[in-house]
Amino acid sequence: MRRLTDVAGLTCRALEELTSTFKPTADNPSFHSKSQWGRWLNGQSMPPRNAVRRLGEILATEDIAAEHLLDLWSRTFMAASSEEGEQDESRPAFPAELPAVAPVGLQATELPPVTLAGALVGRDGEMALLTGLVKEVAGGRGGSVLIEGEPGIGKSALVRAAVAEASEAGCQVFWGAGDELGQTLPLLPFLDGLRVREPSANPRREAIVRLLRGEVAADSGTDVPAILAEQLLALVAEHCAVRPAVLVVDDLQWADPASVTLWGRLARSARRVPLLLVGMMRPVPQREDLLALRRVAGGTARLELTGLTGAAVADLVADLAGGRPDGSLLRLAGGAAGNPLYVTELITALTRGSKVTITGTGIATLTTGSAPGSLSAAIADRLGFVTKPVREVLRVAALLGVGFTVTDLAIILDRNVTDLVRAIDDARAAGVLAESGNGLEFRHPLIRAALYNEMPAPVRAAWHRDAGRALAEAGAPAGRVARQILQAIAGPGDTPEPMDNWMLTWLADTADLLVGQAPQVAAELLRRAVANSPAGLQHDRLAARLADALYRTGDRTAAEAIASQALAHASEPDVVVDLHWMLAQCRMLAGESTESLATLDRALASPGISARHRARLLVLAARTHSHLGEVDKAGRVASSALAAASEAGDNWAMGWALLVLAMVTSARGRMADALPLFDRALTVTQADPALTDLRLLLQINKAITLGDLDRYEEALAVAGQALRFADQVGTTFRLAQAHSALGQLLSQTGRWDDALAEVGILPEDLKEPAGACSDLGIAAVISFHRGNVAAARGHLAAAAPLAERLGHRLVNSLTLARSLDREQDGALPDALAALADAFDGGTEEVEEIEDLLPDAVRLAAQTGNLGTAQALAGQATALAAESKIPHRQANALYCRGLLDHDASRLLAAAERYDDAGRPLLTAKALEAAAVNFVDAGDRGQARVAFTRAVEVYTSLGAAADVARVQATFLAHGIRCRPRVKSPMRR
């Protein structure tokens, strides 16, 4: 209709004028208003038959063929199939075509239009707000809105109408929805809404699909949903960078927690990008994460849809019935409490049963007869008008959820897609199904619920089981199969149904993929499977996967318990290694690595263990020793692991053993010797996609090691490569580690704004505790130097609970920040103590403490603690004795220069710090040299060193340091030497 009226150049006002005198019967002044024509042509509701017939006549006068319009209208609203001839005997068959003219005096109402729930009657204010947001995002300004309301209140209809013209405004539109059956599947609304499974050459989409297929492997315990969330965030950002986007997530009350969290993160950033984020949900259930979303939305970004006013209900009934309702019809509609879906279904049921007629004066009046007494009864009335074969198809569709693909429906029914076309067309014509992207959906979740709940529970369970098996045999994704199995085993109350052999076999074969994609679903299924599976190899494998799933969901106590129990009787080597790996992970995070080592020693003493499994167990032991700070033991065990791995040809074990050896070598201060080990490990892992995570870890640590060697150009290049790689295929932890490594390097080289951006780009809850403490320490150090004391102390406060989880583990930047905090208050002894504790901790990791030496010696000298100063300076000298690393040589010169009050040596330290590319330390050495020149009475040299120090501090934005230095030297009557300015370019 829209296309034909556009061709004819007919506006809604013109159609109003042309139909205002149209009388299908001699005394019926039927009138179709401009607003009605607008809704019909925009697809917001469907017109009555007499309006379609009149439009055809009008178009004919413009020589535009429109004879097919009535046929299209009839096919849309005729639910019965004359070809199948299987009309329900409980009701009369539909006529082949409704009469064009009723008896004189009364005209039967045409079959009412199938509208979107609630159409748009009475929603002018809400519509104006949403269309305003669409216009804003089309203009480049993003925002978010959260819409709440009871079922059937018109949330989806309102949003669909508001975004209908977003594409014409240059926006991309994405629409996803939570699913009652898919609540435990992570990120399903976003994966479906962003259409990531559709074929695409986009590298980001390809990476997501590879993650979903399990083609990108990672260690046990890797949080794959968190990786997917980061990838989806990046995908949304990429789309917004191309052109404005509208992203709608319907039915948030059924979304999984990861989806709710992701919606909240997008809402917080929507203002910064051309993204309109829309969320819709019911007021119940009262989930904590949904309550948090309300706080995120806040203010004008939140809409609460309530029932329509009496006037709006009257308008809606008039649209549906084709005439103004009389008092009796309005009283009946008033029982719907203003719920648009209820009103629509009620009037549809009445007109379908010929219980509404239009008088000669255009008044819709209620004839005798009963009416549906509730919304569910009205929906049942609609479903009662579909044929039995169509109803059976709809029941199977209800097993799949609110939305589904025709392919899945055909698989479960064991029929060809072409065989389903007629049933689907009939269901659409009856207003039960509607198109949704590349699939179909029930027009409202309540319709699907009515079909689903009319099946007895045992029948549903059996049908879910058969559906799961059919989908699995057809190669459907693991998540879709798991949804069916979950429903099949969900018994009444708290009594689950047992899992049969097919389910156990499928789960054993698919567990790795399912644990990675949907650990919560996997944990639920695996608990049942372990309980139902007899003792044996399959039971042990399922138990190992259950421990992994529990670990990923954050239940590490349960994961450790399951792994410990399974180890008591597991014998298959691969399973034993997996269980030990999980146990080691849990105990390391709980600070119980010693217990893990004892268990590993017992496993290594087992008779008949293969070289491959021996290598993997040794790798675990080496990593545990390294985690405990036992560098020498870690090195010895890693060497044994490498030998066993090489014998077995196990690239996984070789890569991990080389990584531990490289880290141990660096910890011993031989960073240059560690680089060949990193390169060898990177070569070993290059060809195996399953070692992607290890390869990322190697790149990150190589970048840090290059930085420790002052080879910053190479370090930044490797760190950037690792960051790009992690952004494409890495885990959240690896992505955070890559950002942290880059932030550390940028901080050391004086690019502080870039460093702050890197360490702050991800929230702390997505980082491991040590990484979060390091990032917060870097941010605090920079803030103290820039004079932002409140911000610095805020970073320290955020790090405090994380640091407690680390025990005595040293975090360089955090230790330095704590010292600066004491120094800020003038408590120099406390500032020294904060650093001295690091040297008393017995750490074997030299590179962790050497960056603290300059400040520790300075504070010891300033507080008169010369014994400590001499001891620490001796460590700096020892480190530099056989080293060519510039910053190590500079540390030794600086510490000795402070103790000997040797300005020349301090200038030499400044030069070596400059060679190292570390500007903050360069400025500190220059400042110290200037002080000693003043003490020696050489004001000229002092002024030169002072001026250079201020220039470097200024380049860093270190306002606190600039103010301190200027105050110190002004007290001696020394001012900064003016710089020669370059000619201004005009």
Side-chain angles (χ1 to χ4, degrees):
M1 285 170 56
R2 181 71 186 218
R3 181 176 61 82
L4 293 175
T5 54
D6 286 345
V7 170
L10 293 170
T11 65
C12 293
R13 181 173 294 279
L15 288 170
E16 177 185 77
E17 294 174 353
L18 289 169
T19 59
S20 62
T21 58
F22 170 54
K23 299 179 181 180
T25 61
D27 56 348
N28 183 6
S30 183
F31 173 76
H32 302 305
S33 69
K34 178 182 69 174
S35 61
Q36 286 177 308
W37 280 112
R39 284 194 289 272
W40 297 336
L41 295 179
N42 288 326
Q44 295 163 7
S45 63
M46 296 294 289
R49 187 174 185 279
N50 56 5
V52 175
R53 186 179 63 173
R54 177 58 179 150
L55 177 60
E57 294 175 356
I58 294 169
L59 292 171
T61 64
E62 302 291 334
D63 294 327
I64 297 174
E67 298 87 351
H68 61 295
L69 282 180
L70 276 178
D71 180 58
L72 287 173
W73 185 93
S74 297
R75 279 193 284 140
T76 302
F77 294 105
M78 293 303 140
S81 170
S82 57
E83 293 181 11
E84 293 180 359
E86 295 190 31
Q87 193 74 21
D88 191 335
E89 296 177 359
S90 64
R91 66 183 192 279
F94 279 126
E97 181 171 318
L98 290 178
V101 180
V104 176
L106 287 176
Q107 179 180 338
T109 305
E110 307 292 340
L111 190 64
V114 178
T115 64
L116 295 169
L120 296 175
V121 174
R123 301 298 189 198
D124 293 345
E126 294 89 343
M127 187 67 178
L129 174 62
L130 292 180
T131 53
L133 290 172
V134 171
K135 290 177 181 177
E136 285 188 4
V137 77
R141 184 184 180 193
S144 61
V145 60
L146 189 62
I147 304 173
E148 293 183 67
E150 66 182 34
I153 205 68
K155 302 182 294 293
S156 302
L158 180 68
V159 174
R160 288 189 189 279
V163 304
E165 297 183 4
S167 297
E168 296 180 10
C171 299
Q172 309 165 86
V173 179
F174 302 98
W175 190 297
D179 188 337
E180 190 173 9
L181 294 184
Q183 294 180 66
T184 51
L185 295 175
L187 302 166
L188 191 63
F190 287 94
L191 293 170
D192 289 346
L194 292 167
R195 304 188 290 274
V196 297
R197 293 184 179 87
E198 295 179 6
S200 173
N202 181 294
R204 178 82 56 191
R205 290 176 174 272
E206 287 183 349
I208 294 172
V209 170
R210 289 180 62 206
L211 281 166
L212 292 172
R213 291 174 179 167
E215 296 173 4
V216 179
D219 283 345
S220 295
T222 295
D223 191 351
V224 176
I227 308 173
L228 283 172
E230 296 302 322
Q231 294 293 322
L232 290 168
L233 278 173
L235 181 62
V236 171
E238 289 175 2
H239 277 292
C240 292
V242 175
R243 56 192 175 103
V246 178
L247 175 57
V248 181
V249 180
D250 202 350
D251 287 322
L252 276 167
Q253 77 280 351
W254 287 334
D256 61 285
S259 292
V260 174
T261 299
L262 181 55
W263 196 97
R265 292 179 65 186
L266 284 168
R268 287 190 289 271
S269 62
R271 285 283 180 186
R272 300 194 294 269
V273 293
L275 169 68
L276 174 57
L277 180 68
V278 182
M280 290 174 278
M281 66 181 185
R282 299 177 184 178
V284 289
Q286 294 285 324
R287 287 166 42 180
E288 285 298 324
D289 52 356
L290 295 178
L291 292 174
L293 275 195
R294 294 185 177 96
R295 293 191 291 272
V296 169
T300 58
R302 185 176 166 198
L303 283 178
E304 293 189 51
L305 295 189
T306 57
L308 299 176
T309 64
V313 170
D315 289 341
L316 177 56
V317 173
D319 272 356
L320 295 168
R324 299 300 299 177
D326 66 359
S328 61
L329 192 54
L330 279 178
R331 283 191 295 274
L332 186 61
N339 185 294
L341 177 64
Y342 190 176
V343 173
T344 300
E345 292 298 325
L346 178 64
I347 301 304
T348 299
L350 292 172
T351 53
R352 191 162 41 226
S354 299
K355 295 174 183 177
V356 174
T357 58
I358 307 298
T359 68
T361 57
I363 301 298
T365 184
L366 184 65
T367 62
T368 58
S370 61
S374 65
L375 177 55
S376 58
I379 290 173
D381 184 272
R382 177 182 292 278
L383 294 173
F385 275 77
V386 298
T387 61
K388 289 180 180 178
V390 173
R391 197 181 189 91
E392 290 305 303
V393 170
L394 290 173
R395 282 179 171 176
V396 173
L399 297 172
L400 294 169
V402 175
F404 56 92
T405 67
V406 179
T407 302
D408 284 355
L409 187 61
I411 288 170
I412 297 172
L413 287 166
D414 194 22
R415 293 166 64 178
N416 294 325
V417 172
T418 53
D419 296 336
L420 299 176
V421 171
R422 189 54 181 267
I424 290 170
D425 284 346
D426 286 351
R428 291 176 61 204
V432 178
L433 296 181
E435 289 187 41
S436 176
N438 292 331
L440 295 170
E441 66 179 5
F442 286 93
R443 191 171 62 83
H444 196 278
L446 293 176
I447 298 177
R448 179 250 165 199
L451 285 160
Y452 188 78
N453 292 329
E454 73 180 14
M455 292 182 279
V459 174
R460 285 202 308 262
W463 219 340
H464 277 300
R465 179 198 176 282
D466 292 346
R469 185 164 190 170
L471 290 170
E473 291 173 351
R480 293 221 286 270
V481 179
R483 289 168 65 181
Q484 298 299 317
I485 296 179
L486 276 172
Q487 299 303 315
I489 62 177
D494 296 325
T495 308
E497 295 292 329
M499 298 183 79
D500 59 25
N501 288 333
W502 172 81
M503 292 179 183
L504 292 173
T505 301
W506 176 85
L507 190 56
D509 293 340
T510 322
D512 284 339
L513 181 60
L514 193 62
V515 167
Q517 289 183 6
Q520 192 71 49
V521 174
E524 187 173 347
L525 288 174
L526 286 164
R527 276 196 185 96
R528 308 275 183 88
V530 169
N532 292 155
S533 179
L537 177 58
Q538 185 183 71
H539 179 277
D540 295 341
R541 287 176 176 171
L542 291 170
R545 298 283 68 78
L546 174 58
D548 190 2
L550 291 169
Y551 178 88
R552 294 178 195 235
T553 60
D555 193 351
R556 294 182 182 124
T557 301
E560 182 179 354
I562 292 293
S564 297
Q565 293 169 11
L567 273 173
H569 47 75
S571 58
E572 204 276 328
D574 283 333
V575 174
V576 170
V577 170
D578 285 347
L579 290 169
H580 276 299
W581 186 271
M582 182 53 55
L583 210 54
Q585 293 282 95
C586 292
R587 288 175 174 172
M588 277 194 288
L589 288 173
E592 301 172 351
S593 298
T594 304
E595 291 86 343
S596 181
L597 284 171
T599 307
L600 287 170
D601 288 340
R602 288 194 297 271
L604 285 165
S606 302
I609 189 170
S610 68
R612 175 175 177 271
H613 293 105
R614 179 177 179 78
R616 295 197 169 199
L617 291 170
L618 285 169
V619 163
L620 286 174
R623 288 186 67 193
T624 306
H625 283 300
S626 178
H627 184 80
L628 289 169
E630 300 170 351
V631 176
D632 291 336
K633 287 183 180 179
R636 290 194 297 271
V637 176
S639 295
S640 300
L642 180 60
S646 300
E647 177 188 346
D650 185 356
N651 286 344
W652 183 95
M654 278 193 282
W656 274 107
L658 286 165
L659 172 61
V660 175
L661 283 172
M663 299 298 293
V664 165
T665 304
S666 294
R668 289 169 174 163
R670 302 187 347 251
M671 279 82 77
D673 294 337
L675 289 178
L677 295 171
F678 282 121
D679 290 336
R680 182 180 170 190
L682 285 166
T683 300
V684 166
T685 59
Q686 186 171 11
D688 190 348
L691 300 180
T692 297
D693 185 69
L694 174 56
R695 184 171 178 79
L696 265 172
L697 188 58
L698 288 163
Q699 287 179 322
I700 292 166
N701 282 283
K702 180 182 178 181
I704 294 296
T705 302
L706 286 167
D708 290 336
L709 291 167
D710 299 331
R711 291 162 60 173
Y712 283 108
E713 186 175 346
E714 296 172 74
L716 289 168
V718 173
Q721 182 184 10
L723 182 59
R724 289 188 295 273
F725 192 28
D727 189 44
Q728 291 179 358
V729 297
T731 67
T732 307
F733 276 173
R734 293 292 178 253
L735 183 64
Q737 288 173 334
H739 280 296
S740 182
L742 193 54
Q744 179 179 325
L745 295 170
L746 291 167
S747 172
Q748 291 171 345
T749 53
R751 293 164 57 179
W752 284 0
D753 289 333
D754 292 336
L756 289 172
E758 291 298 332
V759 300
I761 198 167
L762 293 177
E764 272 61 53
D765 59 358
L766 293 181
K767 306 174 185 177
E768 57 183 338
C773 287
S774 176
D775 288 352
L776 289 165
I778 289 171
V781 167
I782 293 173
S783 296
F784 276 125
H785 281 290
R786 287 186 163 178
N788 300 328
V789 177
R793 287 175 172 163
H795 295 311
L796 287 176
L802 298 168
E804 288 182 6
R805 294 167 58 185
L806 297 176
H808 296 294
R809 184 174 175 184
L810 178 69
V811 178
N812 193 354
S813 61
L814 185 59
T815 302
L816 185 56
R818 287 169 170 169
S819 176
L820 286 171
D821 185 31
R822 310 296 193 279
E823 190 172 358
Q824 176 69 31
D825 291 335
L828 297 187
D830 292 341
L832 173 61
L835 297 178
D837 288 345
F839 299 99
D840 295 338
T843 178
E844 301 177 63
E845 299 184 2
V846 180
E847 86 284 356
E848 288 290 347
I849 64 170
E850 67 171 324
D851 287 343
L852 303 178
L853 287 170
D855 281 292
V857 172
R858 173 181 61 82
L859 289 167
Q862 287 178 328
T863 56
N865 196 335
L866 296 181
T868 299
Q870 291 286 0
L872 295 175
Q875 290 192 40
T877 301
L879 285 170
E882 298 180 1
S883 175
K884 296 181 181 179
I885 302 173
H887 81 265
R888 282 194 173 173
Q889 296 176 348
N891 281 347
L893 289 167
Y894 177 78
C895 294
R896 184 50 53 191
L898 286 175
L899 292 176
D900 295 344
H901 304 287
D902 187 339
S904 297
R905 185 169 289 179
L906 289 166
L907 285 179
E911 292 301 320
R912 288 306 280 157
Y913 280 134
D914 190 53
D915 293 339
R918 301 193 179 197
L920 178 62
L921 292 172
T922 301
K924 287 185 176 183
L926 288 167
E927 179 185 352
V931 169
N932 281 277
F933 279 128
V934 168
D935 292 342
D938 190 342
R939 296 171 64 83
Q941 287 275 51
R943 179 178 288 107
V944 172
F946 159 62
T947 301
R948 288 180 56 198
V950 169
E951 288 175 350
V952 178
Y953 281 137
T954 301
S955 71
L956 294 170
D961 297 308
V962 171
R964 182 193 64 249
V965 174
Q966 288 180 333
T968 300
F969 285 92
L970 280 174
H972 294 284
I974 300 175
R975 295 181 180 274
C976 184
R977 182 184 298 235
R979 286 180 288 178
V980 178
K981 295 183 179 180
S982 301
M984 293 291 291
R985 294 187 178 181
R986 298 185 183 276

